[in-house]
Amino acid sequence: MKIGILALQGSFAEHAEILQTIGADFSFVRCREDVQGLTHLIIPGGESSTLTKLLKDSGMWEEILKQVQDDTLQILGTCAGAILLEKLGMDLYCDRNGYGAQQESFLADLQSEKFPNLKGVFIRAPKFSRVGKKGINLATLQKEPVMVEQGNFLALAFHPELVGETRIHEYFLKK
Ligand code: GLN
């Protein structure tokens, strides 16, 4: 198992803290070579347009896409990361900033059978306005899906890493 956290922009340090808390070894991913051989990749929140540009300019996008197509890479995407999962082929429609602007950020109690008492922080979060047939909804906010798993993809509209939530990362690493 080889775990990487994309560390170009956004909340990668907070994901690193969660992995340290659960005792998982990882590396920060900053160039194409860093992507090679990964089994698990975490794409943090940030700005999806900036992340997309940085990934494409560095050749990392091509490498990630290749591994997605080869079915060799599990990817967890939070917030902007979820928007990137859609661009990488996940059957999910993300309505960017669907949960409001920066000043409307909020902490919410989520409904989830798998993860009881789950909380999440929403910061300019995307709304998952359409989930593909193969998508499994693992958590909701006011009946709307906010955590969807589809094959090797796990998309979260919210930030679990900002409230010290470790269960989702543990679940992801078991995939
Ligand atoms: N709204 C941002 C975007 O569209 C995502 C915000 C976040 O990751 N917290 O990329």
Side-chain angles (χ1 to χ4, degrees), residues 53-124:
K53 184 174 185 333
L54 292 172
L55 285 170
K56 288 197 171 160
D57 289 353
S58 62
M60 295 166 82
W61 184 266
E62 220 183 323
E63 184 62 34
I64 293 171
L65 205 55
K66 180 180 169 292
Q67 294 197 34
V68 164
Q69 282 155 4
D70 291 348
D71 207 16
T72 56
L73 184 64
Q74 301 281 343
I75 315 181
L76 168 69
T78 57
C79 206
I83 296 170
L84 263 64
L85 291 187
E86 181 195 340
K87 295 189 189 190
L88 286 166
M90 183 173 181
D91 190 7
L92 178 75
Y93 185 79
C94 294
D95 177 13
R96 272 185 87 182
N97 305 320
Y99 285 102
Q102 184 86 21
Q103 61 268 34
E104 289 150 356
S105 299
F106 59 94
L107 170 70
D109 289 312
L110 307 175
Q111 285 69 53
S112 172
E113 265 176 42
K114 209 174 210 29
F115 306 101
N117 304 314
L118 184 64
K119 288 184 196 305
V121 178
F122 289 73
I123 305 169
R124 292 183 301 121

